Amino acid sequence: MEQILVVNCGSSSLKFAIMDGSESPPLMEGIAERLGSEHSIITFKYDGKKHEQPLHENDHRGAVTAIKNWIDQHSDLDIKLVGIGHRVVHGGELFTKSVVINKDVLQGIEECSQFAPLHNPAHVKGIKESQALFGDLPQVAVFDTAFHQTLAADQYLYPIPMRLYREHHFRKYGFHGTSYRFIEQKLASLDETYGQQNTLVAHLGNGASVCAIRAGKSVDTSMGITPLEGLMMGTRSGSLDPSLLAFISDAEHITMKQALDILNKESGLKGISEISNDCRSIETAQAAGDDRAELALNMFASKAAKHLAAVATNLDSVEHIVFTGGIGENSPVIRSKICDRLKMMGIRLDQHANQMCPRGEISRISKQSSSAFAWVIPTNEELLIAQDTLALINRPETEQHR
Ligand code: AMP
C-alpha cells in the first residue's frame, strides 16, 4: 500500500507519522523534541511500543535523517512512501488550498513568515531537509489558514485604516483550518442532506478557536492575524483591549514584545488558575475545591460560548454544533458549561450522553428537543494532510501553481 510521511515542524520540535490515507492508525508516529539543545531526543511509536533515542545531530536535519534511517531499518514492513505532507501554519493570502511544493511555493511560505515568525521558517527548514534526504519524493503543503480564505471582506478586515491592509496585508487569517475541514467532511459523511447546512465548530485544545461553516465554507472564525485572538486558551489570553499591551509594558518596565509574550505564554488557563495550562490538571484541582481552578474553567467556557455566539451571527440558522480538540473531545465539564451558556440558541445537551461519550469516537450529545445537533467529533489533522497529499500527487499537473 502507498504511504505518506506527514511532517509537522515547529521551531524546536518535529512531529511525524506514516499514514496510508485511511482511518486506520498510523503505521508509525513520533516526535523529535528539544531540537537545538544538547538533550534533543526522538521518539518512535510503533506496534504499540515506544522507542526513544538521543539525536546526535540535534537539528531538523538530524530529525529527518533519523526518520529516514528508521524507515530503512524496517524494510520488512514494506513501507512504500509516495509523498510527504507538511503542515504549514501560515499561508497568508497566497494559499487558498493545499499545493504541491515547488520553488515558488517554498518562497511563498517564506514570505508568509512575517505573521508566523517561529513556525514558517521551521516549516521551510523541514521541507528543505526532506527534499535533500528524500530526493524526488513529491511534497505537499497543507495550510492552517487556507480553509478561512473564503471569509468575506467584512469579516476578515480589522476596522483600522484600509491602507494598513493594502500595504501590509494586516487582516484576520484564522487557524485550525485543517481541523475544521476534517470535521466538515466528517459531518457530510454522516448526513447526506448536510450540504447546505450550517455548523458551529469549537476546536478546544491548548490552542482554541471557533468557526462558523455555511454550506461547507468557513464564513467566520475567532483567531486573527495570529492565533492570539479570540478564545481564552491554555496560555494565550485571547481577545482583550489592546491598550492593555501598553499598560503592561509601562507597569512592568518591559518591551511591547515582552508584554505580548505574557499574553501568549503566561495567560489563559495558566494565568488565571496559577496551576497549569492543562485543562485536566485544572479540573482535578477544581474537583478538590480550588476556587481559581473553578474561575479559570468558567472563564474558558464563557469566552468559548461568547465567540460561538458571535461567529453564529454569520449564519441564518445552526443545525450542528461540534466539539473537538483535546478539551472539546474529552471534557464533559467544559462542554456542559458552554452549552449552558448557549441556551438562548435552543441548544440542549443530553447530560448522560455528554458524560458517557466514549473516547476517540463520534458521539451525538444533544437532546431530541435541541434546536441543533451537538456532536463530539475527534479531529485528525494528520489524516487530512495525508489524504490531501495523496490526492495532489496523483494529479500534480493541475495543482502546481500557488
Ligand atoms: P490539544 O492541544 O488538542 O492536544 O489538547 C490539549 C488539552 O486537552 C490539554 O489542556 C489537556 O488537559 C486537555 N485534555 C485532554 N484530555 C482531557 C480530559 N480527559 N479532560 C479534560 N481535558 C483534557
Side-chain angles (χ1 to χ4, degrees):
M1 190 175 280
E2 297 184 334
Q3 277 120 351
I4 298 295
L5 173 64
V6 176
V7 174
N8 180 356
C9 271
S11 51
S12 63
S13 70
L14 189 153
K15 284 192 210 151
F16 50 92
I18 295 180
M19 308 180 76
D20 62 13
S22 76
E23 300 267 340
S24 37
L27 175 76
M28 178 276 276
E29 62 187 320
I31 182 166
E33 294 171 278
R34 295 182 237 134
L35 296 178
S37 87
E38 281 172 31
H39 307 290
S40 53
I41 49 163
I42 187 162
T43 309
F44 295 94
K45 266 200 260 174
Y46 161 67
D47 204 15
K49 292 182 221 67
K50 256 188 187 182
H51 173 70
E52 197 177 285
Q53 65 188 61
L55 263 184
H56 301 299
E57 202 186 343
N58 66 351
D59 53 10
H60 291 83
R61 184 184 178 82
V64 180
T65 307
I67 297 167
K68 185 160 189 307
N69 289 344
W70 188 95
I71 295 170
D72 292 344
Q73 286 155 11
H74 290 78
S75 50
D76 54 311
L77 296 179
D78 203 21
I79 297 170
K80 186 165 176 274
L81 275 194
V82 292
I84 303 183
H86 293 268
R87 176 208 177 205
V88 177
V89 164
H90 221 301
E93 289 183 316
L94 290 177
F95 300 103
T96 57
K97 57 186 174 179
S98 304
V99 287
V100 175
I101 297 172
N102 58 23
K103 251 166 88 186
D104 283 351
V105 169
L106 204 54
Q107 192 188 332
I109 297 172
E110 263 171 332
E111 279 167 30
C112 296
S113 293
Q114 61 161 325
F115 301 134
L118 292 180
H119 286 97
N120 274 32
H123 302 323
V124 170
K125 264 191 211 160
I127 292 167
K128 286 186 171 164
E129 299 304 354
S130 307
Q131 285 175 334
L133 289 161
F134 284 93
D136 291 339
L137 219 50
Q139 314 217 13
V140 165
V142 179
F143 300 90
D144 276 14
T145 47
F147 185 61
H148 303 300
Q149 281 295 301
T150 45
L151 261 62
D154 59 2
Q155 298 308 314
Y156 70 67
L157 287 173
Y158 290 118
I160 56 175
M162 270 303 262
R163 180 180 69 73
L164 294 172
Y165 167 64
R166 277 195 307 269
E167 292 177 14
H168 307 291
H169 307 284
F170 293 164
R171 52 161 281 182
K172 178 190 277 282
Y173 288 98
F175 298 86
H176 290 140
T178 314
S179 173
Y180 291 128
R181 196 152 58 88
F182 179 86
I183 298 296
E184 196 273 323
Q185 289 182 8
K186 208 34 132 188
L187 267 180
S189 74
L190 291 174
D191 175 356
E192 58 190 30
T193 63
Y194 176 71
Q196 296 307 309
Q197 296 180 6
N198 297 302
T199 301
L200 292 176
V201 187
H203 178 114
L204 309 175
N206 199 31
S209 71
V210 299
C211 181
I213 302 175
R214 188 202 302 142
K217 294 198 163 60
S218 171
V219 289
D220 198 6
T221 189
S222 57
M223 283 178 168
I225 191 165
T226 76
L228 181 57
E229 191 179 343
L231 279 66
M232 171 173 165
M233 310 180 208
T235 64
R236 297 190 193 114
S237 62
S239 296
L240 38 72
D241 183 339
S243 316
L244 251 181
L245 206 56
F247 285 132
I248 294 172
S249 154
D250 281 352
E252 298 276 303
H253 308 293
I254 54 177
T255 62
M256 285 282 187
K257 169 118 190 10
Q258 287 169 318
L260 198 54
D261 270 354
I262 293 181
L263 301 188
N264 268 308
K265 297 179 186 160
E266 301 296 331
S267 301
L269 287 172
K270 182 181 177 192
I272 296 297
S273 71
E274 297 183 303
I275 298 168
S276 167
N277 63 315
D278 190 286
C279 187
R280 237 173 322 191
S281 313
I282 301 174
E283 286 187 13
T284 306
Q286 183 224 11
D290 189 300
D291 290 342
R292 286 166 312 163
E294 167 98 20
L295 177 63
L297 295 175
N298 286 341
M299 283 177 70
F300 182 89
S302 156
K303 305 284 182 196
K306 236 182 236 190
H307 284 280
L308 281 164
V311 297
T313 57
N314 284 288
L315 303 175
D316 292 336
S317 58
V318 176
E319 279 81 42
H320 304 272
I321 175 165
V322 181
F323 293 93
T324 194
I327 300 173
E329 291 166 30
N330 299 304
S331 174
V333 174
I334 291 289
R335 290 193 299 258
S336 173
K337 283 180 188 285
I338 293 173
C339 289
D340 225 33
R341 289 174 181 272
L342 294 175
K343 276 200 203 110
M344 81 309 191
M345 288 170 69
I347 290 165
R348 301 279 183 276
L349 216 55
D350 176 335
Q351 290 300 349
H352 180 73
N354 181 42
Q355 282 295 334
M356 301 313 290
C357 67
R359 201 182 168 94
E361 285 179 28
I362 297 178
S363 303
R364 211 184 90 191
I365 55 169
S366 46
K367 282 186 176 164
Q368 287 292 346
S369 58
S370 181
S371 61
F373 293 121
W375 301 93
V376 173
I377 302 184
T379 195
N380 193 341
E381 288 154 283
E382 292 77 17
L383 175 56
L384 200 59
I385 294 172
Q387 290 174 343
D388 273 11
T389 306
L390 276 168
L392 280 174
I393 62 179
N394 288 329
R395 53 178 167 85
E397 68 290 347
T398 54
E399 303 289 351
Q400 294 249 345
H401 56 85
R402 76 189 212 204

